[in-house]
Amino acid sequence: MDMTKKKYLRGEGADLKALKDKKLQGQLAVKEDLYGKSAAAAAKAENVFSLDLAYAK
């Protein structure tokens, strides 16, 4: 995993297999996926922003 992406993650994901409530399990799975996608987008934006600053000098 990329270190910049890891910086934006919330920590360890929820243990979905331990939950008995299927509806809650599905909701948490969707949210965990969304957290991963937003962490990747934030890491990508940070990379692009740092490249823009490097070329601005």
Side-chain angles (χ1 to χ4, degrees):
M1 180 182 306
D2 191 18
M3 289 304 292
T4 54
K5 181 180 176 185
K6 189 173 184 178
K7 180 170 76 170
Y8 291 105
L9 287 175
R10 298 175 48 248
E12 294 295 321
D15 185 18
L16 299 178
K17 297 195 186 299
L19 292 174
K20 294 181 181 177
D21 188 357
K22 296 292 182 182
K23 185 176 180 182
L24 181 60
Q25 207 176 30
Q27 290 173 347
L28 285 176
V30 168
K31 289 191 183 213
E32 289 292 334
D33 185 49
L34 183 63
Y35 293 144
K37 287 180 183 178
S38 34
K44 185 176 179 183
E46 179 186 9
N47 189 18
V48 168
F49 184 68
S50 66
L51 290 176
D52 285 346
L53 290 179
Y55 287 117
K57 291 181 181 181

